[in-house]
Amino acid sequence: MTPRTSGTVVVHPLVLLNISEHTTRTAAQSKAGSLANAPLVCGALLGRQLENQAEVFLSFELKFNARDGAGAAPYELDDRHFLTRTDQMKQIFPEDEFIGWYVVASSTQVTPAIAALHQQIMRALPTALLLVFDTAFETSDGGASLPLAVYDTLPPTRVERAKLQLNFGADCGDSTAAVDYYVESTSDDAIPLEVDTVWASHLVPLRIAIDSGEAERVAIEHVANVARPTTMAIMQGEETAGGAGSSTKVAEGQESGQESGQNAPVELTSRMATFLSSQRNAVDMLHRDITVLKAYVGEVISGAAPFDPQIMQLVHRVLCNRPVVQNDETFDLVMMQEETNFHMTAYLANITTTASVVRNLAQRSNAALSAARNKHQPYVNVNREGGMYDGGGISSMFGGGGGRQGRHRGFGHFR
Amino acid sequence: MDAYLSTLHTATTVLEVTQVIQRLLEDEGIYHFGRVLDSPKARELATLEQPDVYWRLLELFSFGTLSEYKAIAVAAQLPELSERQLEKLKHLSLVSLASASKVLPYDDLIRELDCAHEQQMEDLVIDTIYKGLLSAKLDQQRRLIEVEFVVGRDVRREDLQAIYESLDQWSVLCEKELDTLTDGVNTAERESVSKRTREREFTFALQDLRMAYAAHASMGDDADSLARYDSQYTSSEYQREERRAGAGDM
């Protein structure tokens, strides 16, 4: 059979996010704590398959049960779970169907274990795609390409048995060599052949393209820029490792003056920063669209692009419909009302917090004083037990001793 | 529109072209004539010795308003407009006005659209809204039209530069806004970081004190050790004095 020319698979970033999240979660939850010993991380891929191009939209996790005794196939696909999930997904996304599966490994090569699993998947779908996610990032040349490999399963052909064994024994370190992978097909109605040949399917690597819809772009930007927490490590004179985020310079300035003995990186997210970041992302996307329009109009002016009245009319429409804030009394009035409301609420909140802090302070100091003096009890506070006996916080400093019938000398000097 | 274009294509004489244009202008659904203006047959009209009146009319419907029509109708010997054509022109004039400004006062509209009274003008606006050319709110109390969405007029080649400059200005504004927002984000994060640092510093200082405290707790008098921090004297001698005095009291 003539091999198909290398097709393309379009992967959506959501799938990659799901896979990496799954991997991280499994690594965090497993007792081993490192990816080398983590249980098998794999799942199903959903999408659409057109004649030469497959598009992967979604993914979900698959459950594999460990099977004892078997040598090369230590895992077995849990069919029931798989069918349930597929059905559920079908209900929500009727257009997407199961087109393959993914597995996470330390390189993008197909190992015998993976091949054995692929065989099981092939029972459900003979032309399943296999996506191998490389967590060791060996194949990525300086971060330029993605640590992925997607293989398409061709219909089975006669393959020499020797070839099956040969390539799996290949040195996994040599990732640049073009290795042919063959997975033995397990269908029962295979025509029996000579001793040395088997029915096997060729796994052909596909070209990967990434595509994203508008909503996905916004989500990806959010994950990449906004949701990343600013970390600050408080260490004794050591360099911070976690100076991620936009406050690196601040973090480095802070940690040089620390003398405390704690070595814990602190995660800091400012809600205001998150809010402003999302606004910035929105404006950024608008700006990008405007740039595209501007480039197009520039080309039309210079003659590089033809003057199409329809399109120009639409561009003009965009400009006509920009929202405008004018000097309008009604607008000003409403705006000021809203502003005043917000200010008052914030003010009120501040006053309330201050009042409660002052009250706490007064209570505790009075309690400390009165307990020490034992003379008059006018300001006995209600919370003697609560704030003073437990060990945490400021209260212990002031009232811990006083509560225990202590002999507090002199006036309390509160710093 | 395509039907008109194909008919235009097959037209041979100037008269036929004129007729097609006439029908086009009459058509209730078509408000943008850009493609016709570009078509070669129509352009032929423009290159005639005496620029054909219908070409001028087409141009007017594409780019001009009612007032312009009234101004040049006699001079250019433009043909009479039918009822529907006139109404179309009025709609188009309204669209031009709405493209220029978001708030349209009633009086201006009444004048521009050649209406006898307010009611007529409002009906005209409502018609335009129903036709999908405009989306607006009529504020009768303040006698305004607040425009939300408007379908633009056709674009002339000469307008391209203006469009480019508008886009450019908009782009610059966006960039400035982006910078402001980035600064805001950085400031907010800085503040948050410094605030948390202070809190952590305080907690650590507190813990240190407590630990140092616990080391001195073996003086036998637990409660006393706390007194160190609450006494008005910082020196230890004075504090011991205090304690002795206090012991005398109790």
Side-chain angles (χ1 to χ4, degrees), chain B residues 38-162:
Chain B
D38 253 3
S39 75
K41 280 285 163 52
R43 295 203 150 268
E44 272 177 24
L45 282 185
T47 57
L48 288 183
E49 269 271 325
Q50 205 184 19
D52 189 52
V53 286
Y54 276 96
W55 170 252
R56 295 293 301 278
L57 203 59
L58 191 64
E59 268 193 338
L60 193 72
F61 266 68
S62 296
F63 311 120
T65 63
L66 185 63
S67 9
E68 283 175 34
Y69 171 73
K70 283 191 292 185
I72 63 174
V74 176
Q77 299 167 336
L78 291 178
E80 274 281 324
L81 289 181
S82 71
E83 268 292 324
R84 271 208 259 164
Q85 285 173 340
L86 195 60
E87 222 183 286
K88 266 182 78 167
L89 191 56
K90 285 191 185 178
H91 291 324
L92 287 170
S93 316
L94 181 59
V95 165
S96 281
L97 288 170
S99 309
S101 152
K102 284 271 181 210
V103 172
L104 304 168
Y106 270 21
D107 295 323
D108 286 350
L109 286 180
I110 293 178
R111 196 183 53 237
E112 290 281 327
L113 297 177
D114 204 18
C115 298
H117 43 77
E118 224 172 86
Q119 181 70 25
Q120 200 180 8
M121 186 271 297
E122 281 182 0
D123 284 339
L124 202 65
V125 173
I126 294 174
D127 276 339
T128 327
I129 295 179
Y130 278 148
K131 281 208 167 15
L133 298 170
L134 184 71
S135 179
K137 280 202 276 234
L138 286 86
D139 189 341
Q140 282 196 329
Q141 196 184 20
R142 288 193 292 162
R143 306 190 79 228
L144 294 175
I145 310 273
E146 289 175 4
V147 177
E148 283 153 22
F149 164 78
V150 61
V151 165
R153 300 294 296 277
D154 282 309
V155 172
R156 266 192 267 240
R157 276 193 165 73
E158 296 83 22
D159 295 335
L160 276 180
Q161 191 62 31

Side-chain angles (χ1 to χ4, degrees), chain A residues 85-264:
Chain A
R85 285 311 296 276
T86 328
D87 279 340
Q88 288 171 344
M89 287 292 179
K90 195 82 181 147
Q91 284 175 17
I92 310 174
F93 305 105
E95 289 182 4
D96 293 340
E97 48 188 21
F98 174 67
I99 55 171
W101 68 298
Y102 68 83
V103 68
V104 170
S106 49
S107 76
T108 56
Q109 303 212 317
V110 180
T111 62
I114 296 181
L117 292 169
H118 193 70
Q119 271 186 336
Q120 298 182 23
I121 297 283
M122 271 165 62
R123 269 184 310 194
L125 182 71
T127 56
L129 294 174
L130 164 64
L131 189 150
V132 187
F133 194 88
D134 173 16
T135 51
F137 296 155
E138 280 174 19
T139 48
S140 69
D141 35 18
S145 63
L146 290 168
L148 296 180
V150 181
Y151 298 99
D152 191 15
T153 316
L154 295 183
T157 57
R158 285 199 178 87
V159 169
E160 290 164 41
R161 186 180 288 275
K163 257 195 180 171
L164 265 184
Q165 315 296 355
L166 177 68
N167 292 298
F168 287 152
D171 192 359
C172 284
D174 183 12
S175 54
T176 54
V179 191
D180 285 335
Y181 295 113
Y182 292 90
V183 174
E184 190 171 347
S185 60
T186 54
S187 58
D188 300 319
D189 51 318
I191 306 167
L193 303 163
E194 306 88 36
V195 178
D196 278 342
T197 60
V198 293
W199 283 109
S201 303
H202 192 187
L203 292 183
V204 178
L206 295 175
R207 263 179 313 183
I208 304 174
I210 303 280
D211 189 21
S212 53
E214 284 275 347
E216 279 181 311
R217 257 199 293 161
V218 174
I220 300 296
E221 296 239 10
H222 178 85
V223 168
N225 299 325
V226 175
R228 188 181 354 165
T230 60
T231 60
M232 198 185 79
I234 301 175
M235 298 190 184
Q236 276 190 352
E238 284 173 38
E239 271 298 307
T240 65
S246 48
S247 64
T248 22
K249 41 189 192 311
V250 185
E252 282 162 14
Q254 293 284 4
E255 97 309 292
S256 53
Q258 287 302 323
E259 287 178 13
S260 351
Q262 294 288 337
N263 280 8

Side-chain angles (χ1 to χ4, degrees), chain A residues 363-398:
Chain A
Q363 276 178 357
R364 287 169 186 154
S365 55
N366 282 324
L369 278 177
S370 64
R373 303 259 188 89
N374 267 353
K375 283 177 200 164
H376 47 262
Q377 317 259 336
Y379 298 113
V380 169
N381 73 335
V382 202
N383 302 327
R384 272 186 75 148
E385 326 75 66
M388 294 193 288
Y389 278 108
D390 62 346
I394 305 172
S395 54
S396 65
M397 221 163 100
F398 289 105

Side-chain angles (χ1 to χ4, degrees), chain A residues 181-381:
Chain A
Y181 295 113
Y182 292 90
V183 174
E184 190 171 347
S185 60
T186 54
S187 58
D188 300 319
D189 51 318
I191 306 167
L193 303 163
E194 306 88 36
V195 178
D196 278 342
T197 60
V198 293
W199 283 109
S201 303
H202 192 187
L203 292 183
V204 178
L206 295 175
R207 263 179 313 183
I208 304 174
I210 303 280
D211 189 21
S212 53
E214 284 275 347
E216 279 181 311
R217 257 199 293 161
V218 174
I220 300 296
E221 296 239 10
H222 178 85
V223 168
N225 299 325
V226 175
R228 188 181 354 165
T230 60
T231 60
M232 198 185 79
I234 301 175
M235 298 190 184
Q236 276 190 352
E238 284 173 38
E239 271 298 307
T240 65
S246 48
S247 64
T248 22
K249 41 189 192 311
V250 185
E252 282 162 14
Q254 293 284 4
E255 97 309 292
S256 53
Q258 287 302 323
E259 287 178 13
S260 351
Q262 294 288 337
N263 280 8
V266 176
E267 299 237 330
L268 308 164
T269 42
S270 159
R271 276 215 312 254
M272 180 73 163
T274 321
F275 171 71
L276 285 179
S277 299
S278 56
Q279 302 275 331
R280 189 197 39 192
N281 286 345
V283 175
D284 196 20
M285 299 204 63
L286 174 67
H287 181 242
R288 258 184 262 171
D289 287 342
I290 296 177
T291 318
V292 168
L293 280 183
K294 205 171 76 162
Y296 171 70
V297 175
E299 281 187 10
V300 172
I301 291 181
S302 69
F307 176 84
D308 183 355
Q310 301 269 69
I311 299 185
M312 286 321 299
Q313 202 266 315
L314 290 174
V315 173
H316 184 59
R317 190 185 301 192
V318 166
L319 285 176
C320 289
N321 282 308
R322 286 177 293 178
V324 163
V325 175
Q326 287 176 314
N327 292 332
D328 189 24
E329 290 147 5
T330 330
F331 176 76
D332 284 341
L333 184 65
V334 172
M335 180 73 166
M336 270 207 287
Q337 277 177 339
E338 291 242 5
E339 221 176 318
T340 327
N341 281 343
F342 274 117
H343 280 301
M344 287 214 298
T345 335
Y347 210 18
L348 186 64
N350 266 336
I351 291 180
T352 319
T353 358
T354 321
S356 79
V357 168
V358 169
R359 175 180 175 268
N360 272 340
L361 186 61
Q363 276 178 357
R364 287 169 186 154
S365 55
N366 282 324
L369 278 177
S370 64
R373 303 259 188 89
N374 267 353
K375 283 177 200 164
H376 47 262
Q377 317 259 336
Y379 298 113
V380 169
N381 73 335

